[in-house]
Amino acid sequence: MIKTIISKFLQMIIVLFILTTLTFIFMKVSPGNPVGKILHLDTSQVSNSQIKATENKLGLNDSIFSQWWHWFSQLLHFDLGTSYQTGESVSKELLNYISPTLIITFGTLVLSMIISMPLGIIAALNYHKSLDKLIRILTSLSVSLPSFFIGLVLLFIFNQKLNLLPTSEEGSITSYILPIVTMSIGMCAYYIRFIRSNLLEQYQSPIVEASRLRGMPEKYILFHDIFKPTMIPVIPLLGLSVGSLIGGTVVIENLFDIPGLGYFLVDSIKSRDYPVIQGCVLLIGFFVVIINTIADLLALFIDPKQRFAMMSKHQLFNFKQSNIDKSEGDHHEF
């Protein structure tokens, strides 16, 4: 288990390193210059000497490798740099924007599971009946509609017409209801289908037949032999969903005017604020990798089959290694 944790940690470092490096390179080779936004060249007269002085101050005239090494050396000291636009620390800026994104992301996960689990179970228990067909029609409809369209419809009904829910009010938790519901609708469809198909597969497994032959109660079979094995693969799937949810907040936060990481990232891309873009990508990547690692380890801890497979591989490796060492020893003696 400890070796697995160390391996996951090393993989996380490698993924974050590759992610941030590629993001840095793509930003540098893309057209545009942040100096234009910093000095407001579109609204004011600025001399070429001022432009060059600003570029030299920010190190934009250095080679890509020199700029990357400067940023990476700062990162090793847990310093994400300074924003070109505000002059504030990027770490401080990110802390101001991270809370709304986390509320929307984890609120969507919780609401999706609250809705998906009972509907997936109901659909499986009513296989090919009217209720199952109705649930499948609704999930197909929700999957086919993009999240921004669903958000616009909910915004028009509950904000413009009924005036029930605000889009953005500082300090008001009600402003997160519409974004969470918007993102949950599409996500629920995938989880309902996943839970339904897994339940049906487990229902027809040999383990269930064996439990029935032993005379086990139906409630025991439903929970231990059907429901529990069905929920184990949901855990890593939830970890994978975090990445898509955080990516989805870029659209949702701008749609509902919520000042989160997605909103901040779009604004920084428009102004070509390189340190902020790098900080946002690194933070989002960190959350995605951490959540996926925790989900994988949790699934490994819960599922005895995965633990047994991992232990068997480790024992097999040790057995082969001992045989190799023994054969080498016999060869030297010969």
Side-chain angles (χ1 to χ4, degrees):
M1 191 71 173
I2 296 176
K3 288 185 177 180
T4 305
I5 295 174
I6 295 173
S7 175
K8 293 288 185 182
F9 181 74
L10 293 175
Q11 289 176 18
M12 179 186 70
I13 294 175
I14 293 171
V15 169
L16 291 177
F17 175 79
I18 295 173
L19 177 67
T20 53
T21 302
L22 289 177
T23 304
F24 188 91
I25 293 172
F26 288 150
M27 284 191 306
K28 295 300 179 180
V29 299
S30 60
N33 194 330
V35 175
K37 295 290 184 180
I38 296 171
L39 299 178
H40 305 287
L41 296 181
D42 52 344
T43 58
S44 60
Q45 294 285 337
V46 179
S47 63
N48 290 330
S49 59
Q50 287 179 292
I51 295 174
K52 290 181 180 179
T54 305
E55 289 177 345
N56 291 329
K57 181 182 177 181
L58 299 176
L60 298 175
N61 291 327
D62 298 337
S63 65
I64 292 179
F65 178 77
S66 298
Q67 294 181 55
W68 174 84
W69 177 249
H70 176 71
W71 179 83
F72 187 70
S73 60
Q74 285 183 318
L75 183 62
L76 293 177
H77 294 87
F78 302 99
D79 182 10
L80 295 177
T82 304
S83 171
Y84 290 165
Q85 299 298 316
T86 63
E88 296 285 342
S89 170
V90 174
S91 302
K92 184 179 178 181
E93 296 254 9
L94 292 176
L95 288 175
N96 295 330
Y97 288 94
I98 192 173
S99 296
T101 301
L102 293 181
I103 291 172
I104 294 173
T105 300
F106 290 102
T108 302
L109 284 176
V110 172
L111 182 61
S112 298
M113 293 311 299
I114 290 174
I115 297 172
S116 301
M117 288 178 64
L119 289 181
I121 295 171
I122 291 171
L125 294 176
N126 294 272
Y127 180 62
H128 274 325
K129 294 181 181 179
S130 300
L131 198 54
D132 178 32
K133 292 178 181 178
L134 177 62
I135 291 174
R136 282 191 291 167
I137 290 171
L138 292 176
T139 55
S140 299
L141 182 63
S142 60
V143 167
S144 62
L145 296 174
S147 59
F148 71 87
F149 177 78
I150 296 173
L152 287 173
V153 172
L154 295 178
L155 193 63
F156 177 76
I157 295 173
F158 292 99
N159 181 260
Q160 299 296 323
K161 290 296 182 182
L162 301 178
N163 198 23
L164 292 176
L165 296 172
T167 53
S168 179
E169 285 185 7
E170 192 170 341
S172 175
I173 196 66
T174 55
S175 61
Y176 296 103
I177 294 176
L178 286 179
I180 290 174
V181 171
T182 300
M183 298 188 70
S184 298
I185 289 174
M187 189 175 177
C188 283
Y190 291 104
Y191 278 95
I192 290 171
R193 290 181 171 187
F194 185 78
I195 293 171
R196 174 185 176 274
S197 62
N198 275 12
L199 280 171
L200 292 174
E201 183 180 350
Q202 292 296 329
Y203 192 79
Q204 299 172 357
S205 65
I207 297 174
V208 174
E209 294 180 6
S211 296
R212 287 203 174 97
L213 290 174
R214 293 200 307 269
M216 303 301 294
E218 198 66 27
K219 289 183 179 179
Y220 175 89
I221 294 172
L222 183 63
F223 180 76
H224 288 276
D225 297 335
I226 298 177
F227 183 73
K228 190 177 178 181
T230 300
M231 291 298 108
I232 290 174
V234 173
I235 296 172
L237 188 62
L238 283 171
L240 292 173
S241 298
V242 172
S244 61
L245 285 176
I246 294 179
T249 57
V250 174
V251 177
I252 297 301
E253 286 174 359
N254 282 274
L255 178 63
F256 290 96
D257 195 27
I258 293 178
L261 276 181
Y263 186 92
F264 189 38
L265 179 59
V266 171
D267 189 55
S268 301
I269 291 173
K270 291 178 181 177
S271 58
R272 302 191 64 80
D273 198 338
Y274 296 150
V276 173
I277 297 172
Q278 281 289 101
C280 285
V281 171
L282 180 63
L283 186 61
I284 291 172
F286 176 77
F287 273 114
V288 172
V289 174
I290 281 289
I291 295 298
N292 277 280
T293 302
I294 293 173
D296 290 341
L297 293 175
L298 189 60
L300 183 65
F301 179 76
I302 294 174
D303 190 4
K305 291 181 181 179
Q306 292 189 34
R307 290 203 307 272
F308 179 76
M310 185 180 68
M311 291 173 62
S312 298
K313 288 180 181 178
H314 181 66
Q315 291 173 357
L316 181 62
F317 175 78
N318 290 337
F319 176 74
K320 288 181 177 179
Q321 191 64 37
S322 63
N323 284 343
I324 291 172
D325 295 339
K326 185 179 178 181
S327 63
E328 288 177 354
D330 294 340
H331 176 72
H332 288 308
E333 289 178 3
F334 178 75

